[in-house]
Amino acid sequence: MTKLRLAIVGAGPAGIYAADLLLKAERKFDVSIDLFEQLPAPYGLVRYGVAPDHPRIKGIINALRDVLDRGDIRLFGNVRFGEDITLDDLKRHYNAVIFATGAVRDTSLDIPGIDALGSYGAADYVSWFDGHPDVPREWPLDAASVGVIGNGNVALDVSRMLAKHAEDLLVTEVPRNVYEGMKNSAVTDVHVFGRRGPAQVKFTPLELRELGELRDVDMVVYDEDFDYDEASKDAVASNKQVMVIDRVLQSWRKLDSVNNAGGTASRRLHLHFWAKPVEVRKDEQGRVAALVYERTKSDGAGGAVGTGEMREIPMQALYRAIGYFGSPLPDVPFDKKHGVIPNREGQVLETKSNQRVPGIYATGWIKRGPVGLIGHTKSDAMETVRHLINDQGSWWRPEQPEEEAIPALLQERGVLWTDLDGWHRLDAHEIALGEPEGRARIKVVPRDEMVRVSRD
Ligand code: NAP
C-alpha cells in the first residue's frame, strides 16, 4: 500500500486537528505524520494565547492531547522551521507538508507617536501573561492610566488582565513571574477604545459579561455612546449576539459608575465607543502621555465616519489589540498584505503567478487570517486535508522517506528536540509544581528549563 509521509509545521490546534482528520479520513493509503513545533511544548495558541483565567477554553487541550496520545503522530518540539529543518529537508523526507503556524504578531497601527515608550502590541502582553518562553520575564505595569485600542476579544482579554487583581489569578495556571508582576501593578483606569459603536463590536457576550464580574473593578460606560441610529437599532434587533451585548452594556448604564460618576472600586474599566485613535502624545522622555482620538459617528450602514471633534485621554501606557498578523516562513510563498500563505482552499499558491505549489498546504490562521474561534479551525483543516488526499498524484517523491532519518538529521545538527514522552514529563512536572498550592498547574516559562525537564 502507498504511504503518505506527512510533515505538519505547527503543533497548535490547526496542526493537530489536521493530523487527526487525516488519520480518520477514508483514504486508500497509509499515513505517517511528524508534527514539528518551534516551542518545546505543543498546543500553540491554546497554551500561549488563551488567557490563564479562561480554563474552559484551555480545556480544549484535553481533546488535543487525546489526539497526540493515540500514538500514531510523532512530535518534534523545539525545532525551528527554516533553521533546524528547512523546506528542502522536508522535500527529501516527506511527500507533503501542511503549514499550521498561526498568526502571532500584532497588526501595526500607522498613527503618529505609536512608537512611544510604553506603547505595546497586545500579542506581546498576551505572550507575557501566558508564560511564552521567548518574551522577557518582566513586564512594566507602572502606568496608572492605560489605553487599549480595539473592540475584539483580544482587547477584552488584555483589558481584563490589566484590570484584574493579581490575587484573583492565583486559582489559575498563571506563571509565578506574571503573578508577581501583576501584584505590583499601579493601574487604576483602563480605557478601551472602539472606532465604531456598541452594536458593531467584534467581541462576544460571554467575554464582555465577564468584565462586569471582576472584583473591585467598576465598569464605566458613557451615555453619549448609546444614541443609536437605525443601523444600530437594526443590528440589535436582528442579531442575537448583538442583542445580548447591548443588554449587558445597558445594564452598566444603570450603575453608579456610569459617565465616570460615583463608583467605589479601586480600579475602573472604561468603554469608549465612536472613538478612532489618531495620535499618541509623548512626554519629553518619549513615553506615552495621552491618546488623542477623533469622535466618530455612524455612517448609517454599520461603519463610522469622523466628526472632526478631537479628544484626549491622559495615559502612561497603550496597547493595540487590532488584530493578529501571520509571519513569513523561509522559502514558502507569503502574502505580505494579508499576513497569510496565499492558497486556494488550503492548496498553496505562488505569490505572483497564483500557480499551485505541489506538496505544500496551509491550514488555520496562516491560511485564512486571524479570525474565528478555535473550533472553526476544524472545518478549515477538513478542507485542506480533502485536497491533500485528492492530490496524491502531485505529492513529492522523497529520497529518504524512512522515519529514522528525521531523528538522525536533528541529532546530526545538534538540535535538542523534545518529543511526546518529553511533553508528558513536562506536563507532569508543571502539575506537580501546582499541587502544593492547590492549583491545577504552574507553567514552566524559560525555554532551557522546559527542554531540560522534557529531555530528562
Ligand atoms: P478582531 O475580533 O478582528 O477585533 C479587532 C478589533 O480591532 C475590531 O474591533 C476592529 O474594529 C479593531 N480595529 C482594527 N483596526 C483598527 C484600527 N486601525 N483602529 C482602531 N481599531 C481597529 O480581532 P482579535 O480581537 O485580535 O481576535 C482574533 C480572533 O480571536 C477573533 O475571532 C476572536 O473572537 C478570537 N478570540 C477569542 C477569544 C475568546 O473566545 N475568549 C479570546 C481572544 C481571541 P472594526 O471592527 O471597526 O474593524
Side-chain angles (χ1 to χ4, degrees):
M1 203 181 194
T2 326
K3 185 163 187 174
L4 166 66
R5 287 273 295 130
L6 177 69
I8 297 181
V9 180
I16 296 179
Y17 285 142
D20 186 37
L21 288 166
L22 178 62
L23 289 165
K24 286 181 181 158
E26 208 172 295
R27 50 188 158 74
K28 297 194 176 70
F29 48 83
D30 278 340
V31 177
S32 99
I33 299 179
D34 288 347
L35 194 50
F36 293 95
E37 167 58 53
Q38 63 149 334
L39 290 167
Y43 310 135
L45 185 82
V46 193
R47 186 173 156 98
Y48 290 113
V50 173
D53 59 345
H54 274 176
R56 191 181 51 83
I57 310 180
K58 289 263 186 214
I60 294 174
I61 283 183
N62 297 332
L64 300 178
R65 187 176 53 212
D66 287 347
V67 176
L68 295 185
D69 284 353
R70 235 173 24 210
D72 42 12
I73 300 167
R74 293 195 302 180
L75 176 69
F76 292 93
N78 203 33
V79 178
R80 286 182 201 269
F81 175 78
E83 287 175 33
D84 302 324
I85 196 146
T86 65
L87 190 64
D88 281 342
D89 296 327
L90 297 184
K91 286 183 179 166
R92 202 170 309 118
H93 298 286
Y94 297 90
N95 298 102
V97 54
I98 300 180
F99 288 101
T101 47
V104 292
R105 280 187 301 154
D106 286 289
T107 299
S108 53
L109 179 62
D110 191 15
I111 58 172
I114 196 71
D115 59 342
L117 293 170
S119 163
Y120 309 107
D124 292 338
Y125 181 53
V126 171
S127 293
W128 174 74
F129 68 58
D130 247 339
H132 193 293
D134 298 342
V135 297
R137 300 291 167 268
E138 312 259 312
W139 190 271
L141 290 171
D142 48 359
S145 173
V146 182
V148 178
I149 300 173
N151 264 180
N153 279 326
V154 172
L156 294 199
D157 275 352
V158 165
S159 309
R160 192 181 68 254
M161 289 295 287
L162 285 165
K164 197 164 189 158
H165 289 278
E167 305 82 74
D168 297 336
L169 280 167
L170 275 179
V171 288
T172 74
E173 60 175 49
V174 70
R176 289 190 210 283
N177 64 306
V178 176
Y179 168 71
E180 290 300 328
M182 287 181 65
K183 203 167 72 172
N184 297 320
S185 170
V187 76
T188 60
D189 291 84
V190 178
H191 296 271
V192 186
F193 300 91
R195 62 180 170 180
R196 296 190 286 156
Q200 289 84 31
V201 295
K202 294 259 176 73
F203 50 67
T204 39
L206 208 64
E207 281 62 30
L208 178 68
R209 199 178 285 133
E210 204 181 342
L211 297 182
E213 291 159 6
L214 293 176
R215 183 180 62 82
D216 189 31
V217 177
D218 277 335
M219 289 309 301
V220 183
V221 292
Y222 295 86
D223 282 330
E224 62 173 1
D225 290 340
F226 293 88
D227 189 12
Y228 289 166
D229 70 341
E230 286 309 313
S232 291
K233 282 182 195 159
D234 278 356
V236 173
S238 62
N239 182 319
K240 198 153 173 242
Q241 188 152 309
V242 180
M243 196 183 297
V244 180
I245 284 172
D246 178 59
R247 204 179 300 147
V248 174
L249 292 170
Q250 297 291 352
S251 73
W252 292 340
R253 291 179 72 189
K254 300 191 182 91
L255 300 174
D256 290 343
S257 50
V258 69
N259 297 327
N260 204 18
T264 51
S266 69
R267 292 179 177 176
R268 284 157 297 282
L269 212 162
H270 308 247
L271 300 180
H272 303 272
F273 298 98
W274 306 112
K276 182 183 161 214
V278 293
E279 185 184 349
V280 183
R281 279 214 207 292
K282 300 179 185 175
D283 66 12
E284 279 161 11
Q285 285 84 44
R287 293 188 54 89
V288 172
L291 179 71
V292 182
Y293 66 91
E294 181 178 10
R295 179 89 180 144
T296 59
K297 62 177 185 184
S298 169
D299 67 357
V305 287
T307 63
E309 180 193 342
M310 298 295 166
R311 296 184 182 179
E312 189 169 322
I313 293 190
M315 60 187 64
Q316 302 81 44
L318 177 67
Y319 295 76
R320 56 181 194 285
I322 59 168
Y324 285 150
F325 206 77
S327 305
L329 295 157
D331 304 323
V332 180
F334 189 67
D335 173 347
K336 280 190 209 147
K337 189 161 168 231
H338 301 101
V340 296
I341 298 178
N343 69 92
R344 193 183 304 121
E345 297 187 343
Q347 295 172 307
V348 171
L349 306 175
E350 281 294 354
T351 316
K352 287 204 181 101
S353 67
N354 254 6
Q355 293 291 311
R356 276 264 343 262
V357 186
I360 307 187
Y361 297 82
T363 194
W365 276 6
I366 196 66
K367 166 187 176 185
R368 65 174 204 276
V371 283
L373 304 179
I374 295 167
H376 295 155
T377 304
K378 234 181 223 180
S379 46
D380 204 22
M382 207 168 309
E383 185 183 66
T384 298
V385 162
R386 184 165 44 82
H387 279 298
L388 172 67
I389 292 174
N390 293 338
D391 290 347
Q392 188 170 351
S394 64
W395 294 344
W396 300 326
R397 291 168 206 279
E399 289 159 33
Q400 272 187 288
E402 307 78 34
E403 292 187 0
E404 316 80 70
I406 298 302
L409 179 78
L410 295 176
Q411 179 94 35
E412 185 191 301
R413 291 186 182 164
V415 179
L416 296 176
W417 81 92
T418 57
D419 60 12
L420 198 55
D421 286 342
W423 161 243
H424 288 150
R425 273 190 287 276
L426 178 58
D427 191 31
H429 178 75
E430 291 187 340
I431 292 169
L433 286 178
E435 254 164 33
E437 298 178 27
R439 297 165 60 188
R441 87 170 53 233
I442 295 179
K443 258 186 191 166
V444 172
V445 181
R447 186 182 275 264
D448 52 356
E449 192 179 336
M450 292 174 77
V451 172
R452 186 176 49 71
V453 175
S454 297
R455 290 177 60 97
D456 199 3

